[in-house]
C-alpha cells in the first residue's frame, strides 16, 4: 500500500484557484462583483482573471516572481488574488495606509517585478519609487495603473493600465499547473506593532485549508452577499477573497469604509456577511442619523483584531448585526480561532452572552492543534480559565515562514509549534480567551493585570468611544495601569469620573492610576493600537509626577517646567494629531 504513487486523478494539489474554476462552471450567471455601477458574473470574472494571467505571462512573469499591488477594495485587487497565482507568481497586497518609505521597503525586500497602483495612490507610489532608486539603488518594477472602472481618471504613472492588460489577454488561457501545493501563493507583510514589518509567506495548501475552515466555522451558506469592509490587503481579506467564489457569492466592493458606504450598500444589495476589526463596529455605532438605515435581516459580522469589549458587542447586536468573534494573525493566514456559538447559551442573560462572544473560541477545523503553553517548559496550562500561558498553533494553514528572515523564524517556531506572542487561558469547556499580548501585560505589585480586561471595563461607560490601557511605571508597585480614552463628542467628563467608573467595575489594583483623554489613538495600518507609543507617553507622566514631588520637597522651587513634562505634553499633542 505504501508504494502507491502520488499521481493521476487521485492526487491534485490543493489550491484556492479551483474555487474560481468551480464558480465559473457552477455559478456562471450569478453576480460575482458589484462595485458602484459595475457588475460582473462568475463567468466574466473567470475570463478576466484568465486574460490578466495571460498578460502577466507575456510580461515575462515566471514562477515565484512577486507581483505587488497598492489598491483599496476595488475589483482589480480581488481579481489579482486569482490571476497572479494563475500565472505562477506570488501576490503581494500592500497596506494602503503605509507611508511611501515603508512601501519602498516592501518593494525592495520582496523584489517585486510588477507594481500595480490604484489611481488614488499615485503620489504615494511615485515617492516610493523615488526612494527605491535614490536610497536603495534598486531596479524599478514595471508599473501598471489601475483606473476606476466607474470613472476613469486618465492618470498615468507608467506606460501600462490594468484594463488594457485584461483586454489584451487570452480568455482561454489555461492556468499554470500547481506542481507542489506548498508553493507560495501570497506574500503579506505584518503591520509591525512591535518591530519592523516581516514578509509572511502563505502556501497554496494553507490558503485552501484556511478558506474552507472559515466558511465552515462561520457557517456561511451558498450565495452570500459579502460587503468588503475589511481591507483585502489584510491577510488576503482573511481568505474571503477566495472564499466567496467557493460559495458562489457576490463581492460588494467599496472604496472607503465609512458609515455611509456600509449602511447604503447593506440596504441596496441585501448584504448578508461582512468582516471587520472592532474599529469598524465603532464606525457603525457612531453613524449619524441620516447615514443609518433599518436592517431588516441580520447581517453576519466576523470580528477579529483586539478582543471587542462586551459592551461594544451588545450595542452592535441591537442594531441588527450578529457578531461572531475570531482570533488570528498574519502568520496564521488570518483567523485561527472562531468563537462557535452554542444554542444553550441563548438562554443566558444578555450580558453573559456578550462576554461569551468576546472569547476567541476554538481552533479552526484545519488546524492540527491549538494550545496554551508555558514557552520555556512547553507544558500546557490547566483548563481553569485562570492560568495564563502563550497561545500556540500547529497545522498546514500556518505560514511557511518569514521571507529571508531565519532569525525571526527561529524565535516563533519551537518543537513544531508556532508561538503567537499572545497570552491566554483555556476555559473548562475548551474555549480559549486571549488576555493580552505578552508585552502588554501589566505587572503591578506582583499581580498580572490584563490590559484587555481594564479596557473592557472602561468601555462599559456609555460616553467612551475607545480606550487603550498600557503599563505606567509606579514608584511603589513597579507598574500601574494608564488609560488613554476617546470620549463621545461634546462630552464633559473628567479623569476622576472614569476612575470612579472603573472602581465600580474592577478590583482596586486594576483601576488606572492615570486617565488621559485623546482625540485619536496611534494605530498601525491594520487598525491595531501601537501600545509602544502609548507606553512612551505614560512613562513621561510618571517622570513628571516624580519631578513634581521632588520640587515640593525642595526648598528651592524652579520656575521652569520639568523637561519631562514638556516631552509628555508634546507627545500627547502628537497623539491628538495622528
Amino acid at each position: 500500500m505504501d508504494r502507491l504513487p502520488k499521481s493521476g486523478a487521485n492526487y491534485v494539489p490543493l489550491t484556492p484557484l479551483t474555487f474560481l474554476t468551480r464558480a465559473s462552471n457552477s455559478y456562471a450567471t450569478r453576480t460575482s462583483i458589484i462595485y458602484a455601477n459595475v457588475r460582473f458574473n462568475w463567468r466574466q470574472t473567470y475570463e478576466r482573471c484568465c486574460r490578466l494571467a495571460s498578460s502577466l505571462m507575456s510580461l515575462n512573469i515566471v514562477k515565484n516572481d512577486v507581483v505587488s499591488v497598492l489598491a483599496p477594495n476595488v475589483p482589480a485587487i480581488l481579481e489579482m488574488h486569482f490571476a497572479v497565482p494563475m500565472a505562477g507568481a506570488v501576490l503581494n497586497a500592500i497596506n494602503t495606509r503605509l507611508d511611501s518609505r515603508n512601501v519602498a521597503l516592501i518593494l525592495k525586500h520582496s523584489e517585486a517585478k510588477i507594481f500595480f497602483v490604484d489611481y488614488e495612490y499615485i503620489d504615494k507610489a511615485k515617492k516610493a519609487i523615488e526612494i527605491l532608486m535614490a536610497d536603495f539603488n534598486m531596479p524599478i518594477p514595471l508599473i501598471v495603473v489601475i483606473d476606476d472602472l466607474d470613472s476613469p481618471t486618465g492618470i498615468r504613472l507608467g506606460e501600462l493600465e490594468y484594463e488594457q492588460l485584461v483586454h489584451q489577454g487570452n480568455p482561454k488561457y489555461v492556468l499554470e499547473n500547481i506542481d507542489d501545493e506548498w508553493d507560495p501563493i501570497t506574500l503579506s507583510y505584518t503591520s509591525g506593532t512591535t518591530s519592523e514589518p516581516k514578509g509572511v509567506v502563505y502556501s497554496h495548501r494553507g490558503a485552501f485549508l484556511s478558506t474552507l475552515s472559515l466558511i465552515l466555522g462561520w457557517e456561511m451558506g451558498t450565495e452570500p452577499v459579502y460587503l468588503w469592509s475589511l481591507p483585502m490587503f489584510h491577510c488576503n481579506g482573511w481568505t474571503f477573497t477566495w472564499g466567496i467564489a467557493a460559495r458562489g457569492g457576490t463581492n460588494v466592493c467599496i472604496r472607503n469604509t465609512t458609515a455611509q458606504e456600509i449602511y447604503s450598500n447593506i440596504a441596496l444589495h441585501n448584504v448578508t456577511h461582512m468582516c471587520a476589526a472592532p474599529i469598524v463596529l465603532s464606525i457603525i455605532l457612531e453613524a449619524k442619523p441620516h447615514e443609518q438605515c433599518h436592517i431588516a435581516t441580520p447581517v453576519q459580522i466576523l470580528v477579529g483584531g483586539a478582543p471587542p469589549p462586551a459592551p461594544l458587542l451588545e450595542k452592535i447586536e441591537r442594531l441588527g448585526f450578529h457578531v461572531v468573534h475570531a482570533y488570528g494573525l498574519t502568520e496564521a493566514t488570518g483567523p485561527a480561532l472562531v468563537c462557535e456559538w452554542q444554542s444553550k447559551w441563548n438562554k443566558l442573560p444578555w450580558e453573559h452572552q456578550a462576554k461569551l462572544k468576546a472569547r476567541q473560541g476554538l481552533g479552526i477545523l484545519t488546524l492540527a492543534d491549538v494550545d496554551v503553553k508555558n514557552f520555556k517548559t512547553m507544558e500546557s496550562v490547566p483548563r481553569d480559565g485562570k492560568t495564563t500561558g502563550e497561545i500556540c498553533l500547529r497545522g498546514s494553514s500556518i505560514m511557511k515562514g518569514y521571507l529571508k528572515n531565519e532569525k525571526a523564524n527561529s524565535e516563533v517556531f519551537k518543537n513544531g509549534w508556532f508561538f503567537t506572542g499572545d497570552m491566554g487561558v483555556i476555559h473548562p469547556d475548551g474555549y480559549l480567551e486571549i488576555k493580552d499580548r505578552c508585552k502588554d501585560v501589566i505587572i503591578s505589585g506582583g499581580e498580572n493585570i490584563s490590559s484587555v480586561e481594564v479596557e473592557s471595563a472602561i468601555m462599559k461607560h456609555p460616553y467612551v468611544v475607545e480606550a487603550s490601557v498600557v503599563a505606567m511605571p509606579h514608584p511603589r508597585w513597579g507598574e500601574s495601569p494608564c488609560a488613554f480614552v476617546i470620549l463621545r463628542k461634546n462630552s464633559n467628563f473628567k479623569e476622576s469620573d472614569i476612575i470612579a467608573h472603573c472602581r465600580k467595575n474592577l478590583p482596586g489594583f486594576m483601576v488606572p492610576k492615570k486617565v488621559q483623554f485623546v482625540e485619536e489613538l496611534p494605530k498601525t495600518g491594520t487598525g491595531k493600537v501601537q501600545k509602544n507609543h502609548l507606553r512612551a507617553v505614560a512613562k513621561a507622566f510618571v517622570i513628571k509626577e516624580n519631578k513634581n514631588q521632588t520640587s515640593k520637597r525642595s526648598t528651592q522651587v524652579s520656575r521652569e517646567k520639568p523637561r519631562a513634562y514638556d516631552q509628555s505634553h508634546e507627545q500627547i499633542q502628537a497623539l491628538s494629531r495622528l
Side-chain angles (χ1 to χ4, degrees):
M1 296 291 288
D2 59 343
R3 295 181 180 177
L4 289 175
K6 288 184 178 179
S7 61
N10 66 329
Y11 177 71
V12 179
L14 300 178
T15 172
L17 301 183
T18 56
F19 300 147
L20 178 61
T21 305
R22 180 175 181 271
S24 69
N25 291 330
S26 304
Y27 315 123
T29 59
R30 283 188 193 170
T31 302
S32 58
I33 296 175
I34 297 174
Y35 174 60
N37 297 321
V38 175
R39 286 177 181 251
F40 297 120
N41 62 36
W42 279 112
R43 180 177 291 137
Q44 291 170 322
T45 294
Y46 175 76
E47 289 182 354
R48 286 174 61 83
C49 291
C50 286
R51 286 177 179 274
L52 180 57
S54 169
S55 288
L56 290 174
M57 297 285 284
S58 70
L59 294 172
N60 298 319
I61 287 296
V62 298
K63 185 175 180 179
N64 294 339
D65 277 349
V66 173
V67 174
S68 295
V69 56
L70 184 68
N73 287 351
V74 293
I77 189 172
L78 182 64
E79 293 167 345
M80 291 178 70
H81 273 82
F82 292 100
V84 171
M86 283 169 71
V90 179
L91 178 65
N92 165 227
I94 299 176
N95 187 335
T96 58
R97 298 161 188 160
L98 296 177
D99 60 20
S100 296
R101 184 165 188 82
N102 275 297
V103 172
L105 283 168
I106 288 173
L107 293 174
K108 172 181 179 290
H109 187 262
S110 66
E111 300 178 49
K113 297 295 188 297
I114 299 182
F115 185 23
F116 286 83
V117 181
D118 181 85
Y119 74 89
E120 185 178 344
Y121 301 105
I122 292 291
D123 289 341
K124 182 179 291 189
K126 281 182 178 178
K127 292 176 183 176
I129 294 301
E130 290 170 0
I131 293 169
L132 196 64
M133 292 188 297
D135 295 3
F136 304 139
N137 195 29
M138 290 285 292
I140 303 173
L142 181 65
I143 299 166
V144 182
V145 174
I146 303 170
D147 271 339
D148 199 324
L149 280 164
D150 200 39
S151 54
T153 63
I155 298 173
R156 293 289 182 272
L157 177 61
E159 294 297 323
L160 294 176
E161 193 272 328
Y162 182 84
E163 286 300 316
Q164 176 187 350
L165 287 185
V166 172
H167 178 73
Q168 291 176 350
N170 179 10
K172 303 296 183 183
Y173 169 81
V174 178
L175 67 90
E176 289 289 293
N177 288 329
I178 307 300
D179 298 321
D180 188 345
E181 59 190 20
W182 287 102
D183 280 346
I185 186 171
T186 60
L187 172 64
S188 301
Y189 281 80
T190 62
S191 53
T193 53
T194 57
S195 60
E196 287 296 317
K198 297 183 284 287
V200 175
V201 181
Y202 296 166
S203 68
H204 282 259
R205 176 183 175 85
F208 178 91
L209 293 174
S210 286
T211 303
L212 289 186
S213 290
L214 288 168
I215 289 170
L216 291 166
W218 202 8
E219 298 181 356
M220 177 184 276
T222 57
E223 299 187 71
V225 179
Y226 182 90
L227 179 66
W228 276 104
S229 50
L230 174 78
M232 293 186 206
F233 64 69
H234 191 193
C235 305
N236 304 112
W238 297 353
T239 76
F240 287 105
T241 44
W242 303 298
I244 304 307
R247 303 313 285 139
T250 299
N251 296 276
V252 180
C253 296
I254 55 175
R255 183 169 282 272
N256 300 299
T257 305
T258 62
Q260 178 83 40
E261 288 275 5
I262 291 171
Y263 273 110
S264 63
N265 278 280
I266 287 174
L268 190 60
H269 305 300
N270 297 315
V271 167
T272 61
H273 293 75
M274 58 186 285
C275 292
I279 184 61
V280 176
L281 302 188
S282 297
I283 290 172
I284 293 171
L285 288 171
E286 293 296 306
K288 297 174 182 177
H290 73 274
E291 297 174 328
Q292 298 177 8
C293 68
H294 173 67
I295 298 175
T297 305
V299 177
Q300 307 295 318
I301 301 188
L302 187 64
V303 177
L312 186 65
L313 290 176
E314 181 177 357
K315 293 174 186 175
I316 201 74
E317 294 238 341
R318 295 192 186 283
L319 290 178
F321 297 89
H322 181 264
V323 177
V324 174
H325 187 222
Y327 159 83
L329 59 169
T330 306
E331 292 85 343
T333 323
L337 306 175
V338 176
C339 189
E340 293 184 7
W341 191 252
Q342 299 186 26
S343 57
K344 64 181 180 181
W345 294 344
N346 292 325
K347 300 176 182 178
L348 297 173
W350 172 250
E351 186 176 349
H352 194 173
Q353 287 188 34
K355 289 180 180 178
L356 289 171
K357 281 179 178 285
R359 297 193 302 179
Q360 285 59 55
L362 308 173
I364 60 175
L365 285 170
T366 48
L367 272 179
D369 207 354
V370 174
D371 203 358
V372 178
K373 292 179 178 290
N374 180 306
F375 181 78
K376 293 182 179 179
T377 66
M378 292 299 292
E379 293 181 358
S380 301
V381 302
R383 296 193 168 201
D384 56 10
K386 297 178 182 178
T387 309
T388 59
E390 188 170 347
I391 297 173
C392 52
L393 314 168
R394 193 162 62 90
S396 298
S397 55
I398 303 302
M399 67 171 179
K400 287 168 64 69
Y402 296 118
L403 180 66
K404 297 185 286 190
N405 198 333
E406 288 305 316
K407 180 178 181 294
N409 288 331
S410 65
E411 290 172 351
V412 296
F413 288 106
K414 183 178 181 181
N415 294 358
W417 290 86
F418 169 72
F419 280 79
T420 64
D422 289 318
M423 301 297 291
V425 299
I426 304 182
H427 290 273
D429 60 3
Y431 280 62
L432 273 72
E433 182 178 0
I434 186 174
K435 287 298 180 180
D436 226 329
R437 289 290 297 172
C438 292
K439 296 181 180 180
D440 293 338
V441 173
I442 303 165
I443 304 175
S444 183
E447 294 281 357
N448 285 355
I449 299 174
S450 164
S451 64
V452 173
E453 289 187 30
V454 182
E455 288 162 1
S456 182
I458 295 172
M459 286 294 295
K460 290 181 179 178
H461 194 289
Y463 285 88
V464 170
V465 174
E466 207 170 345
S468 187
V469 175
V470 298
M472 177 178 68
H474 192 280
R476 181 177 182 183
W477 305 114
E479 292 181 341
S480 61
C482 174
F484 293 84
V485 174
I486 300 174
L487 292 174
R488 291 183 185 275
K489 292 181 180 179
N490 302 319
S491 300
N492 187 25
F493 285 91
K494 300 177 182 177
E495 178 184 25
S496 57
D497 296 321
I498 301 299
I499 291 175
H501 166 77
C502 289
R503 287 200 181 104
K504 296 177 182 178
N505 294 277
L506 292 168
F509 72 95
M510 294 181 72
V511 174
K513 300 293 187 291
K514 172 73 178 175
V515 176
Q516 179 66 41
F517 298 115
V518 295
E519 293 181 6
E520 290 184 60
L521 295 171
K523 294 180 180 179
T524 67
T526 52
K528 298 176 185 176
V529 176
Q530 294 177 304
K531 290 193 172 184
N532 54 329
H533 293 339
L534 297 182
R535 278 191 288 268
V537 178
K539 184 177 180 180
F541 287 144
V542 169
I543 295 172
K544 170 196 169 184
E545 179 185 355
N546 290 345
K547 288 212 172 189
N548 283 347
Q549 290 174 351
T550 302
S551 64
K552 288 178 182 178
R553 291 193 300 267
S554 175
T555 55
Q556 284 186 321
V557 180
S558 172
R559 294 183 180 181
E560 295 182 1
K561 291 180 181 178
R563 184 179 178 187
Y565 173 86
D566 292 332
Q567 292 173 341
S568 173
H569 180 72
E570 289 169 4
Q571 290 180 67
I572 294 167
Q573 295 300 315
L575 281 179
S576 298
R577 293 192 297 269
L578 285 172

